Amino acid sequence: MKKTALSLLISSSLLCIGSWQTKGEYTTEEYTDGVTTFVKVTNPNGGETLSYAKDSGLKLINRKVDGYRYAFKDANSNGKLDTWEDWRKEDSERATALAKELSKEEIAGLMLFSSHERNPENGLTEDQMKYLKDDNLRNVLNAGGNNAEDTVKWNNEMQAYVEALSTEGHTLIPVNFSSDPRSTAGSDAQYNSDGADISRWPSNLGIAATFDPDIMSDFAQISSTEYRALGIATALGPQIDLATEPRWLRVEGTYGEDRQLATDMAEAYVSGIQSSYAADGTDLGWGSNSVNAMIKHFPGDGAGEGGREAHTNAGKYAVYPGDNAAEHVEVFVDGGLNLTSKTGQAASVMSSYSIGVDKNGEAYFGELAGSAYDSEKMDLLRVDNDYEGIICTDWGVTTATSDPSNPAFGMAWGKEDLSVEERHYQILLTGTDMFGGNNDAKPVLAAYDMWQKDYEAGKLPISADERFQQSGKRLVQMIMQANLFEDPYLITEESVATLRNKDYSAAGYEAQLNSVVMLKNADETIHASDLAEYKEQTVYIPSSLRYGFPSIFSPAVNTANPTMDVEVAKQYFKEVLTDTPVYAEDGETVVELVQPDLTNVDMVIVGMLSPDNGSNFSSAGLNEEGFYPLSLQYSPYTADGDNVRLTSLGGDILADGTKENRTYYGKTSKISNEYDLTAVLNAQAAVAKVEEETGKEIPVVVALKATNPVIVGEFEDAVDAIVTGFSVSDQALFEIILGKHEPKGLLPVQFPADMDTVEAQFEDTAHDMVAYNDGEYTYDFGFGLNYDGQIADERVAQYVNK
């Protein structure tokens, strides 16, 4: 894949300062972040940069080779240069050697992937010290913000703590920090991180809307640089599930429904984030600027029955009425495993939550259990594709809400009757290496004992030690290939400069603009402009009432706010009007929104979120009254059409031996932002009245902030223009609407004509809906407008996978 000018810019900034020296000795220099003082070691002749805490007790070993004196870490304090300490050797050789030295307790700790750590600003806590020391945990999920100074201090403090443990009998294995997506621009994104210290991009779905893998590659390379500046060496992504079910709650995190587009985007991301690059764009392979990719959720979780999400019992069944699971798997194989970059396959894979069933309601793969427990699914990786990277469960699959501890978060689908220890053992049997969201090594060690017992009984071909060493080798290699064994410490000033890089921010914003899709543009409402024509105009931005859903982690939150950012709008218009809220007697609950006088308004811009069915954690589609339909329309939808499934494909076996029916036939949807539609229609009615009285023309424009396909037929004929942004900033939407940037985006998913075609389509099959037609254009996959009309170029032709 070609390297863009931006890629070259990134690469030139990645060269290690001071790492290339003339012939001679290694040098050392001290740094401090105010909490931890550490030493940076610069080896001569292009040798690896090392870093270690000044007071940790770690010693250096030096070797003179061809006139150069090199430094190595004595990570086990034995005074010898062991194979795994020698940075000149291949990562695989080092990892194999180290795995043989690790105890079962140390490997059990490596198999843990921590629960979400949300407050780096608090520094190293007692709980963290406990799991680092007592449980040997080394993989930590950073779910905090993007503040550079706070995160650098936390990173360095934690690395110094585990380094000091190495002088107390622990093997020095540095902490591998990871992160969910944290760079999304739109406030509507489900996964994001606060803070200005990072560039902001569209969601995965938004980058897919550019139909340009080079933009994805740029994003990945910039992300790897920014992540490493935050100490993050593993990305929990990309999410490459095929979004073949349009109601699914996680469509925004995917690359859409088309197999080839998703494959190309996945390959660009994995190759871009894992490799380090030279200034000329040469792929250097693994290095100090590499981030391990964890492609997810294998074998694809985008076929949830009725769109329900497998984070909760509501959506634990993925269904394959089109017998099309192979297409979902192909994206993982071709977009994450069969890669040509020097880093090779994706470093790791996260398994999905769901139980797969076929059109007859029988197990589609091996058994009626979640993916982490299904050997047939994991064999698709380990056996069919010779995958030797890490397989990690999604978070919470070893707990069930029916456990005696009654956790709120538990997705042991199909294995609820097992103990926590037995679940860990069952997962190890599938070839999985890591347990997401588990800070406790005890059930992993219990699984070791179960394995050894079965081995000694002749039930298993290899011993527990051999099985643990298999995972141990993979797990330490992931940490080694990101150079964490050598250089885990961060220099505050360098991290701050990287995270506040204006070129990175500009690239992200340009991608936002290029991702916006214009669906409608009557009478050239949206046209090229220098923005001067709007400086003396007044815009009306309606407000909306949005009612939240309670989730397993938080109560419902209701809002009554303008649908677009008023402060941003003031940059472009002389005056910005919005609605006035009327409060109930409690002074907090908004009961009404009162429109202003629109007589002097020149334009109306209404922000609409996708119809909001709830979050991953709100049990969307199931309440105390039973199952109900998820919907892509704002107004209430009652599922009583001919295409509604009367008997669900998925369903639990009940106590009486019958199968549960999860149908929602005859039930009505629950949309939290139905008022978005009311806001548009009220605005249009008010504008029509002003136009009739004054003869003035006032365009009404919808800025659709989409996370899923949307049934636009409810409002399309009432407005003059529609632009769709997939988790972009309001500023980007304004600049498209006001003509500063010509729209270039294309729909990465079909926008359906109605809910009837949504019910008729198969959850596992792409491109199988009737797309909406506005009388002139059809809002199908690959559709988008620019100023001249429908965009038709080579991007679309190569990505219509029907």
Side-chain angles (χ1 to χ4, degrees), residues 171-193:
T171 303
L172 175 52
I173 300 175
V175 176
N176 172 32
F177 288 98
S178 68
S179 177
D180 281 313
R182 58 177 50 237
S183 306
T184 312
S187 59
D188 53 324
Q190 287 203 45
Y191 291 93
N192 212 347
S193 290

Side-chain angles (χ1 to χ4, degrees), residues 64 164 178 580 731:
K64 191 170 184 180
S178 68
T580 302
Q731 182 174 348

Side-chain angles (χ1 to χ4, degrees), residues 247 306 308 627-629 639 644-645 662-667 759:
R247 295 163 291 187
R308 298 188 297 264
F627 291 90
Y628 62 87
V644 178
R645 199 172 281 145
R662 295 177 158 229
T663 183
Y664 47 76
Y665 184 85
K667 301 296 181 63
E759 297 287 8

